Amino acid sequence: MLDRVSVSHDDKVAATDQPLLIADGLSKRYGRIDACRGVSFELYPGEVLAIVGESGSGKSTLLQMLSAQLAPSAGRVSYRMRDGVLRDLAALGEAERRLLLRTDWGFVHQDPAQGLRMAVSAGANVGERLMAIGWNHYGRIRDTASDWLQRVEIDTSRIDDAPRTYSGGMRQRLQIARNLVTGPRLVFMDEPTGGLDVSVQARLLDLVRSLVTELGLAAIVVTHDLAVARLLSHRILVMKSGRVIETGLTDQVLDDPREPYTQLLVSSILPA
Amino acid sequence: MIEASYNFAYLDEQTKRMIRRAILKAIAIPGYQVPFASREMPMPYGWGTGGVQVTASILGPDDTLKVIDQGSDDTTNAISIRKFFAKTAGVATTTSTPAASVIQTRHRIPETTLHEGQVLVYQVPIPEPLRFLEPRETETRRMHALAEYGLMHVKLYEDIAKFGHIATSYAYPVKVAGRYVMDPSPTPKFDNPKMNDCAALQLFGAGREKRIYAIPPYTQVVSLDFEDHPFTRYRQNAPCALCGAEDSYLDEIVTDDRGGRMFVCSDTDYCEGRRAQGHTGTESAPMEAADA
């Protein structure tokens, strides 16, 4: 089970015509509150999907259900494993689910402190996933970690510093490196640019966009920032009060919104 | 002679049954931390309340007890616990490792190889090896259940990144019988290899944390490491100043305020045994003079 996971990406290209993840009628109730109602969509390999909407529209609840961290009240999520078999996430054992989370998936939190170990060095933060899947050679772990720090534009001389000495933008980039080191096929991002200033945001978005293209990653990005959605995503899902009210290609939805709420959302961007 | 007011070995029979059940479970699942209803003992936490409860539960009237504290038979903690059982259980006590059937220890494994039928009882302050890496107990239990031990290597990685070698010198994590990662209590890592394939039964009691775990005789115990940074024992580079031993774990003793020091065996019984056989070191006095 804990075999070293292959870091090659050749196997993904073959199956791009089949969906990687299928959400089917996902609903979540918190007591009397419907946080999420009947959300269905399919995500294909290499595709970036943005989920936009205002605070309280159910974006984060949906993301947690998709990433198997929260059990839906109704509906289900299926994921195509590396062997090509589509599996219902609710039917996976805990061990399988956790293995999936730290090998084939990545999760980038809005607050890097949630996704990083703030007290251990950057190198160990990146290396943790490798050690968790059985890597047992210090030199190789360190080389891989330093390679990944370079790819996310962190100076490798900072490899032994703890992330609490890092700036906000560096922490976020380190979190991305930590997630991508095992060569995941799907990355969840929860407001990845939240709390960063504009120039740092731009650099991070640029980095994420090039990594996603380069590695052929599929990603689900939750954001309230339409600019992030426009830059990163191929498709967009607009949520309001727990429902998906509009969906389509990103430029189509943003340039020609159909629903009144989406029109309002698009028109509320301040002109640059 | 047991004082009339005490039950044998202080604890009541029901409590001993409860602890024995926990011990049996611990032996059945080597390295797994079994929760137990730890009792208040007439000594403060940190003085070995876990070890004392385990010893009290396994002790019989025919047993011979030895207690060591950092390898020594004659420090306060060792003497107190030895007297405690002499008073409440009336068992024979000894300082000789081969003569003892039960040895309670605080942070050392005797130098003399243990034999079949002996039980080594460790006093454990913090049983959870993942504690300082993952503070949530719910999470560490899940990690043990799923054998997710990548985090343990993060600690060793940090050591090498900071110091260039694995600088953890005590409480060095081990994997027991290929399954559970275990904290061998704060024994120096010099003692880790002695746990592997040991003929004696090893029991670990943590009183404050309410956990018991065990290594059955002849069980594989492997110290965690990296392929390119293998586990190494650490020993001060000197012979014992009293008995000249080159193979024992040494204590450093400061002898004056001008930087003078000497290294002596931490295991007092082993050192005395060697001196009785005529071995001498640089600082040793003749045995006759010491006896006088």
Side-chain angles (χ1 to χ4, degrees), chain A residues 5 14 23 28 33 91 93 96 99 101 129 134 158 198 215 219 250 263 269:
Chain A
V5 170
K28 182 70 187 178
I33 300 163
E96 270 183 303
L99 184 70
L101 253 171
R129 274 181 164 228
R158 301 289 306 269
V198 183
L215 304 173
T250 302
Q263 290 169 0
I269 301 176

mmCIF file of all heavy atoms in Angstrom, chain A residues 5 14 23 28 33 91 93 96 99 101 129 134 158 198 215 219 250 263 269:
data_model
loop_
_atom_site.group_PDB
_atom_site.id
_atom_site.type_symbol
_atom_site.label_atom_id
_atom_site.label_comp_id
_atom_site.label_asym_id
_atom_site.label_seq_id
_atom_site.Cartn_x
_atom_site.Cartn_y
_atom_site.Cartn_z
ATOM 1 N N VAL A 5 5.195 6.178 -4.771
ATOM 2 C CA VAL A 5 4.256 6.538 -5.834
ATOM 3 C C VAL A 5 5.031 7.093 -7.019
ATOM 4 O O VAL A 5 5.948 7.882 -6.868
ATOM 5 C CB VAL A 5 3.263 7.593 -5.306
ATOM 6 C CG1 VAL A 5 2.449 8.159 -6.444
ATOM 7 C CG2 VAL A 5 2.354 6.961 -4.276
ATOM 8 N N ALA A 14 -3.360 9.477 -21.197
ATOM 9 C CA ALA A 14 -4.180 8.474 -21.864
ATOM 10 C C ALA A 14 -5.671 8.650 -21.584
ATOM 11 O O ALA A 14 -6.494 8.439 -22.467
ATOM 12 C CB ALA A 14 -3.732 7.088 -21.425
ATOM 13 N N ALA A 23 -19.026 14.838 -9.253
ATOM 14 C CA ALA A 23 -19.888 15.181 -8.121
ATOM 15 C C ALA A 23 -21.317 14.965 -8.580
ATOM 16 O O ALA A 23 -21.693 15.405 -9.660
ATOM 17 C CB ALA A 23 -19.656 16.624 -7.709
ATOM 18 N N LYS A 28 -25.439 19.393 1.586
ATOM 19 C CA LYS A 28 -25.030 19.365 2.990
ATOM 20 C C LYS A 28 -25.966 20.244 3.800
ATOM 21 O O LYS A 28 -26.176 21.402 3.465
ATOM 22 C CB LYS A 28 -23.578 19.844 3.128
ATOM 23 C CG LYS A 28 -23.053 19.800 4.547
ATOM 24 C CD LYS A 28 -22.868 18.376 5.016
ATOM 25 C CE LYS A 28 -22.499 18.293 6.482
ATOM 26 N NZ LYS A 28 -22.366 16.907 6.941
ATOM 27 N N ILE A 33 -30.065 24.667 8.227
ATOM 28 C CA ILE A 33 -29.445 25.444 7.147
ATOM 29 C C ILE A 33 -28.985 24.526 6.022
ATOM 30 O O ILE A 33 -28.287 23.536 6.250
ATOM 31 C CB ILE A 33 -28.236 26.233 7.695
ATOM 32 C CG1 ILE A 33 -28.716 27.172 8.803
ATOM 33 C CG2 ILE A 33 -27.529 26.982 6.584
ATOM 34 C CD1 ILE A 33 -27.617 27.693 9.676
ATOM 35 N N ALA A 91 -17.005 5.188 -0.002
ATOM 36 C CA ALA A 91 -16.794 3.753 0.182
ATOM 37 C C ALA A 91 -15.326 3.423 0.464
ATOM 38 O O ALA A 91 -14.999 2.278 0.778
ATOM 39 C CB ALA A 91 -17.274 2.998 -1.057
ATOM 40 N N GLY A 93 -11.881 3.163 2.489
ATOM 41 C CA GLY A 93 -11.507 3.066 3.899
ATOM 42 C C GLY A 93 -10.720 4.305 4.292
ATOM 43 O O GLY A 93 -10.249 5.050 3.436
ATOM 44 N N GLU A 96 -7.141 4.360 2.916
ATOM 45 C CA GLU A 96 -7.071 4.686 1.490
ATOM 46 C C GLU A 96 -7.313 6.172 1.251
ATOM 47 O O GLU A 96 -6.670 6.799 0.425
ATOM 48 C CB GLU A 96 -8.146 3.891 0.740
ATOM 49 C CG GLU A 96 -7.694 2.539 0.237
ATOM 50 C CD GLU A 96 -8.801 1.867 -0.544
ATOM 51 O OE1 GLU A 96 -9.907 1.676 0.011
ATOM 52 O OE2 GLU A 96 -8.566 1.556 -1.712
ATOM 53 N N LEU A 99 -4.333 8.146 2.271
ATOM 54 C CA LEU A 99 -3.241 7.953 1.318
ATOM 55 C C LEU A 99 -3.484 8.795 0.064
ATOM 56 O O LEU A 99 -2.578 9.446 -0.450
ATOM 57 C CB LEU A 99 -3.131 6.466 0.943
ATOM 58 C CG LEU A 99 -1.969 6.128 0.019
ATOM 59 C CD1 LEU A 99 -0.640 6.266 0.756
ATOM 60 C CD2 LEU A 99 -2.092 4.715 -0.539
ATOM 61 N N LEU A 101 -5.194 11.547 -0.078
ATOM 62 C CA LEU A 101 -5.008 12.952 0.279
ATOM 63 C C LEU A 101 -3.545 13.371 0.257
ATOM 64 O O LEU A 101 -3.222 14.514 -0.014
ATOM 65 C CB LEU A 101 -5.577 13.210 1.668
ATOM 66 C CG LEU A 101 -6.883 13.994 1.715
ATOM 67 C CD1 LEU A 101 -7.457 13.985 3.119
ATOM 68 C CD2 LEU A 101 -6.674 15.427 1.256
ATOM 69 N N ARG A 129 5.756 14.500 2.872
ATOM 70 C CA ARG A 129 4.928 13.608 2.052
ATOM 71 C C ARG A 129 5.753 12.465 1.469
ATOM 72 O O ARG A 129 5.265 11.348 1.328
ATOM 73 C CB ARG A 129 4.317 14.387 0.900
ATOM 74 C CG ARG A 129 3.024 15.074 1.252
ATOM 75 C CD ARG A 129 2.504 15.800 0.029
ATOM 76 N NE ARG A 129 1.115 16.156 0.221
ATOM 77 C CZ ARG A 129 0.169 15.939 -0.683
ATOM 78 N NH1 ARG A 129 0.454 15.380 -1.840
ATOM 79 N NH2 ARG A 129 -1.061 16.276 -0.436
ATOM 80 N N GLY A 134 7.277 6.415 2.247
ATOM 81 C CA GLY A 134 8.322 5.419 2.396
ATOM 82 C C GLY A 134 9.716 5.821 1.921
ATOM 83 O O GLY A 134 10.613 4.986 1.914
ATOM 84 N N ARG A 158 17.283 29.058 2.005
ATOM 85 C CA ARG A 158 16.311 29.131 3.108
ATOM 86 C C ARG A 158 15.742 27.754 3.450
ATOM 87 O O ARG A 158 14.776 27.652 4.204
ATOM 88 C CB ARG A 158 15.138 30.065 2.735
ATOM 89 C CG ARG A 158 15.519 31.496 2.403
ATOM 90 C CD ARG A 158 15.962 32.308 3.601
ATOM 91 N NE ARG A 158 15.023 32.340 4.716
ATOM 92 C CZ ARG A 158 14.077 33.256 4.862
ATOM 93 N NH1 ARG A 158 13.921 34.194 3.980
ATOM 94 N NH2 ARG A 158 13.280 33.226 5.915
ATOM 95 N N VAL A 198 -1.310 42.738 -3.761
ATOM 96 C CA VAL A 198 -1.607 42.534 -5.177
ATOM 97 C C VAL A 198 -0.414 42.041 -5.991
ATOM 98 O O VAL A 198 -0.533 41.124 -6.809
ATOM 99 C CB VAL A 198 -2.169 43.841 -5.777
ATOM 100 C CG1 VAL A 198 -2.550 43.618 -7.227
ATOM 101 C CG2 VAL A 198 -3.377 44.293 -5.001
ATOM 102 N N LEU A 215 2.515 20.555 -15.391
ATOM 103 C CA LEU A 215 2.299 19.230 -14.814
ATOM 104 C C LEU A 215 0.988 18.607 -15.267
ATOM 105 O O LEU A 215 0.698 17.466 -14.916
ATOM 106 C CB LEU A 215 2.300 19.316 -13.282
ATOM 107 C CG LEU A 215 3.535 19.933 -12.642
ATOM 108 C CD1 LEU A 215 3.339 20.112 -11.154
ATOM 109 C CD2 LEU A 215 4.752 19.046 -12.894
ATOM 110 N N ALA A 219 -7.384 21.052 -11.206
ATOM 111 C CA ALA A 219 -7.485 21.812 -9.971
ATOM 112 C C ALA A 219 -8.895 22.321 -9.771
ATOM 113 O O ALA A 219 -9.610 22.596 -10.737
ATOM 114 C CB ALA A 219 -6.499 22.981 -9.993
ATOM 115 N N THR A 250 -14.977 29.938 -18.549
ATOM 116 C CA THR A 250 -14.706 31.109 -17.724
ATOM 117 C C THR A 250 -14.948 32.411 -18.468
ATOM 118 O O THR A 250 -15.649 33.304 -17.976
ATOM 119 C CB THR A 250 -13.257 31.059 -17.218
ATOM 120 O OG1 THR A 250 -13.087 29.860 -16.496
ATOM 121 C CG2 THR A 250 -12.962 32.235 -16.323
ATOM 122 N N GLN A 263 -24.280 38.770 -13.145
ATOM 123 C CA GLN A 263 -24.088 40.101 -13.736
ATOM 124 C C GLN A 263 -23.668 41.094 -12.653
ATOM 125 O O GLN A 263 -22.748 41.895 -12.832
ATOM 126 C CB GLN A 263 -25.384 40.552 -14.409
ATOM 127 C CG GLN A 263 -25.695 39.745 -15.661
ATOM 128 C CD GLN A 263 -27.112 39.989 -16.194
ATOM 129 O OE1 GLN A 263 -27.874 40.778 -15.628
ATOM 130 N NE2 GLN A 263 -27.449 39.300 -17.261
ATOM 131 N N ILE A 269 -16.750 44.422 -9.950
ATOM 132 C CA ILE A 269 -15.285 44.556 -9.961
ATOM 133 C C ILE A 269 -14.946 46.020 -10.224
ATOM 134 O O ILE A 269 -15.489 46.629 -11.143
ATOM 135 C CB ILE A 269 -14.652 43.697 -11.068
ATOM 136 C CG1 ILE A 269 -15.027 42.224 -10.868
ATOM 137 C CG2 ILE A 269 -13.147 43.873 -11.086
ATOM 138 C CD1 ILE A 269 -14.521 41.346 -11.984
#
